[in-house]
Amino acid sequence: MGASASDAAVTEGAPTRAAYLEVRDAGKQFGSFVALQRVNLAVQAGEFVTFLGPSGCGKTTLLRGIAGLDPPTTGRILQGGRDITHLPPSDRDFGIVFQSYALFPNLTVAQNIAYGLRGPAWPKARVKERVNEMLGLVGLAEHAPKYPAQLSGGQQQRVALARALATEPGLLLLDEPLSALDAVVRLHLRQEIRSLQQRLGVTTIMVTHDQEEAMSVSDRIVVMSRGRIEQIGSPAEIYTQPATPFVASFVGHSSRIEAVVDTPPGTVVAQGVRLPATGARLMLYGARVVCFIRPEHVRLHPHDAAPAGALMATVTGLEFLGPVVRLSLEAGPLRLLASIPPADLAALGSLADGKVAVTLPPEHLLVFPDDV
Amino acid sequence: MMSDAALSRPRLSLDQALMRGGLWLAAGFLAIFLVLPLGALLMRAFETPQGGFAGLANLAAYVTTPALLVAAWNSVWTAALTALIVVPLAFAFAYALTRSCMPTKPLFRAVMMLPLLAPSLLPALALIYLFGNQGMLRGLLMGNSIYGPIGIVVAQVFHCFPSAALILSVALSTADARLYEAAAALKASRARIFRTVTLPGARYGLVSAFVVVFTLVVTDFGIPKVIGGQFPVLATDVYKQVVGLQNFNMGAVVGLVLLLPAVIAYALDRWATRQRAATLSGRAVPLRPAPRRARDLPLLALCLVVAALLVGIVGVAVWGSLIRFWPYNLSLTLDNYDFTRFDAAGWSTVWLSVRMAALVAMIGSVIVFTIAYVLERGRQDGALPGMVRFAASVPLAVPGLVLGLAYVMFFNHPANPLGFLYGTLAILVLNSLVHFYTVCHLTAVTAIRQLDPEFEAVGASMRVPVWVTFWRVTVPICLPAILEIAVYLFVSAMTTVSAVIFLYGPDTKPASIAVVHMDEAGQASAAAAMAVVILGVTTAAKLGQLAVGAVVGRVTQAWRR
């Protein structure tokens, strides 16, 4: 991973205006294992931010650090201008939903939601009112007297959400809240969480390893890998302008091509194949690079009508995915993925001989310096 | 540079400070009532009777006294023989309970537990009725005496059966059905499947069972005391050195020797437990036996014989306690239950035992569960949690007799400010609690580990103090386990002899000790009667647990349904 690349990514996410939550140089070490490495992050009030990355990338460690459950070993965390680095969880202002929900199994839905509503600020009548309000908000009004075990997974999830929001926290933390649910419920619930968050305007941080989930709900995504932040940006930025090779390969599908910068400027050579690449224009001759190209950017042409500079490819696999067909191609030494609408497949003519012409648009070739 | 400046030192919250404080209290409790007494015992073994440093002189005296070495050897071989008899028998019984389709399994399960409810003296007394000098079946021994190794081994087999059968039925009930299906699909014969799948699956259970039986026999005091006759073993030697000869230093040495096999056995068992945990795959498909007469009928017959023997031995003790004058006048009477005729203390020993056991159960379940909670759910940094965890596992390896002796040496020491405890009910309660600590601790830990690890974090995020979550969530969910702990402590404290025999005072004599005394005085019928009373109380407690458990279940466990 290029140090320069990730540092660049970090500066992109540096605070520009007063942020609601600020993480400065946070690091965490377990023995000799570095779980978090000088992480910097600013979250604006009302924002929905997702930590995305493979397991072990430090995203949950960072979340637990923000919650004060496992405080970072170095660095500071500020919430609403207050330094909360040293504060125990009970002195902070957040609500949390765990992957397991951690609903109290011996308390009813209503009792679970009312759990944090205690003390002089919450007389009985007000608690009841608030619980009913929360139950209405998550659409579980008729389930109030039930125990968690009597609810479906999606309903339990909603109870956990209502419980976390009941005390009106300034910050909502979601630790893989949807991963225990099956696919259909998951799609539905993530939109519900998003619309609830927008209605209440509560600053939210979610941890997930599911990129589609992250893309669909977030204002901004923090892509993490090996204890570092790789990139912070809107879903579109992350997808179209990945800052590092890791982001390019982790978010969405892509074909990876190793190459060397050649002349004239804007050309790379991958195992003897010359490819024009806009991104390589400012790179030094002879530099080793890794290039990525998204399947939907790979252009296919009938092999008997190949445009100039096209590569001849053999189709080695074909998957029908509904809206698109994904083809695995071998173009000489290169292995490529391409996806095209089924209708366009017919326009390619007969694939009987398995031959097709391929062009890679230079502006869509993502080029990164390769520093192994 | 900057990261150095920003090095954070998280402040402990009130919750965490409370948990940490609780852990320090736990460490203090275990230090005063377990570690320091054992330390006192250890030191005493290297002292002269006058309190000077003796070096290895006591040990040397021990090794050069043939009578003492003979006792050690006797302990070892009777224990090994008992284990060799009990383990196969218990294996067959457990196999029948878990792998067959024989009828009335719950009944067999209940009968299997019977010996646990009785003091270990009870089978010894029953054997004396049957095979003693006036025994009705004495002829079956063909001239051998029941007083000695034969009596010890037979009584120990009865006494240790439930422990072995419990361990083995757990080991046999965690089988993966797919292994059996795979073996059958590969056309393995039944004998081969048994040899290659069943036995290897249960091998660590077999090791555990063997080790537990061995330890139980070596450390048991009641049976050799009553039926051992002139046959010396380690447990009776400690008693003889301390109570008979008032030689505390040699008593301490023998105590250390007694600790040795128990510690080895304990280490072996820990090893076996770890291996077993490693072999159990998470997604095993439970095995459901199919009926097969060729297997079920012989197993049923075996279980009937074993159950008849278990009930029979208890029955003989009950019957003997009701006989006017064994074996000459077999008419029935309740005279033997009029304990004032045999012992000035009379029935008061029973009430004392009940009071003591109830205190152990009440105080113990609170202490054990709270310590397990702060240990499991508190912060795990520093050396303290590990030390407390280790200390909590030590009592399992310390024989009651050794712990009792350690208490005498520690609390009876003139310089000990806690000396006022000596001879009081309090010391009996504390000693019993520490003696039976580990099993209860493990039960509590298992129950707590089944809870979601984030309960406290959720509570903290809502600014709910940890004790509220403990009281509203943890305790209600774990109530069945807490009840289990309380009843286990009650039954153990009612039946124990070895843990308290050095510690009772003139006004604090438990019923189990009264049994020993009446037997020593030759009042076998009264001793049997007292043992039967103890069995009655513990059985009532066990039945009470079932009843209370049902009520508690309905009131607090509604969410489970």
Side-chain angles (χ1 to χ4, degrees), chain B residues 59 125 274 408 541:
Chain B
L59 268 177
L125 292 167
R274 257 200 308 278
V408 173

Side-chain angles (χ1 to χ4, degrees), chain B residues 191-209:
Chain B
R192 181 143 181 249
I193 293 179
F194 182 83
R195 210 174 61 240
T196 54
V197 181
T198 308
L199 274 185
R203 66 176 180 267
Y204 300 113
L206 286 167
V207 172
S208 267

Side-chain angles (χ1 to χ4, degrees), chain B residues 353-354 357-358 360-361 485-495 537-538 541:
Chain B
S353 267
V354 171
V360 173
I485 291 170
V487 172
Y488 173 83
L489 283 174
F490 184 88
V491 169
S492 303
M494 274 306 290
T495 54
V537 172
T538 53

Side-chain angles (χ1 to χ4, degrees), chain A residues 298-319:
Chain A
V298 174
R299 298 266 161 75
L300 302 182
H301 318 271
H303 70 98
D304 46 3
L311 309 169
M312 292 311 290
T314 315
V315 180
T316 56
L318 199 151
E319 295 168 84

Side-chain angles (χ1 to χ4, degrees), chain A residues 139-150:
Chain A
L140 289 174
E142 70 275 29
H143 297 291
K146 289 190 182 169
Y147 290 103
Q150 295 164 308

Side-chain angles (χ1 to χ4, degrees), chain B residues 132-493:
Chain B
N133 292 335
Q134 266 96 44
M136 350 183 72
L137 304 175
R138 195 153 62 105
L140 289 179
L141 290 177
M142 291 178 294
N144 293 306
S145 168
I146 192 76
Y147 297 99
I150 299 178
I152 291 179
V153 170
V154 175
Q156 295 287 14
V157 166
F158 173 90
H159 175 58
C160 300
F161 183 78
S163 309
L166 264 180
I167 292 169
L168 288 168
S169 53
V170 170
L172 284 170
S173 62
T174 49
D176 187 348
R178 287 173 308 191
L179 285 179
Y180 287 84
E181 285 160 6
L186 293 167
K187 303 197 180 358
S189 66
R190 288 209 182 86
R192 181 143 181 249
I193 293 179
F194 182 83
R195 210 174 61 240
T196 54
V197 181
T198 308
L199 274 185
R203 66 176 180 267
Y204 300 113
L206 286 167
V207 172
S208 267
F210 190 93
V211 163
V212 164
V213 171
F214 186 88
T215 317
L216 278 175
V217 177
V218 169
T219 59
D220 183 69
F221 171 72
I223 287 173
K225 178 82 185 69
V226 170
I227 208 169
Q230 298 305 309
F231 185 75
V233 293
L234 280 174
T236 46
D237 256 12
V238 177
Y239 184 70
K240 210 157 59 190
Q241 290 292 340
V242 172
V243 174
L245 307 174
Q246 293 288 315
N247 186 346
F248 281 85
N249 303 96
M250 194 48 82
V253 171
V254 183
L256 285 185
V257 175
L258 189 55
L259 199 53
L260 210 61
V263 167
I264 294 171
Y266 165 79
L268 210 65
D269 185 51
R270 291 269 289 220
W271 170 80
T273 311
R274 257 200 308 278
Q275 301 301 313
R276 190 169 48 212
T279 55
L280 250 180
S281 67
R283 300 220 175 270
V285 179
L287 180 71
R288 290 185 203 293
R292 189 160 65 81
R293 293 175 70 87
R295 175 198 61 202
D296 294 350
L297 284 181
L299 284 175
L300 178 62
L302 176 100
C303 287
L304 281 172
V305 171
V306 170
L309 284 174
L310 294 182
V311 174
I313 284 185
V314 171
V316 167
V318 174
W319 184 44
S321 74
L322 294 170
I323 296 294
R324 197 171 294 281
F325 187 45
W326 187 275
Y328 307 107
N329 181 352
L330 293 183
S331 60
L332 298 180
T333 173
L334 280 174
D335 284 356
N336 296 320
Y337 287 83
D338 182 10
F339 297 125
T340 34
R341 290 180 25 201
F342 311 98
D343 185 331
W347 275 82
S348 71
T349 60
V350 175
W351 306 135
L352 184 104
S353 267
V354 171
R355 232 164 62 225
M356 175 186 108
L359 280 171
V360 173
M362 282 188 294
I363 299 171
S365 47
V366 172
I367 289 184
V368 168
F369 192 78
T370 312
I371 291 183
Y373 180 76
V374 295
L375 188 58
E376 285 301 307
R377 292 307 177 92
R379 294 166 62 90
Q380 297 298 318
D381 51 339
L384 189 63
M387 274 156 55
V388 172
R389 194 165 280 131
F390 176 74
S393 71
V394 165
L396 197 62
V398 180
L401 218 50
V402 175
L403 190 68
L405 192 58
Y407 268 46
V408 173
M409 290 168 178
F410 182 65
F411 289 102
N412 205 20
H413 197 281
N416 191 332
L418 292 169
F420 66 89
L421 285 173
Y422 192 70
T424 62
L425 184 62
I427 202 167
L428 295 182
V429 170
L430 285 163
N431 177 269
S432 301
L433 170 55
V434 171
H435 181 201
F436 301 113
Y437 192 90
T438 306
V439 173
C440 305
H441 176 73
L442 294 178
T443 307
V445 165
T446 308
I448 290 167
R449 284 197 181 154
Q450 279 165 359
L451 305 182
D452 193 298
E454 311 290 8
F455 280 167
E456 284 73 20
V458 167
S461 79
M462 293 185 277
R463 299 190 183 131
V464 177
V466 70
W467 63 85
V468 173
T469 305
F470 178 70
W471 189 246
R472 275 197 72 189
V473 179
T474 313
V475 169
I477 294 178
C478 295
L479 219 49
I482 295 172
L483 188 64
E484 175 87 35
I485 291 170
V487 172
Y488 173 83
L489 283 174
F490 184 88
V491 169
S492 303

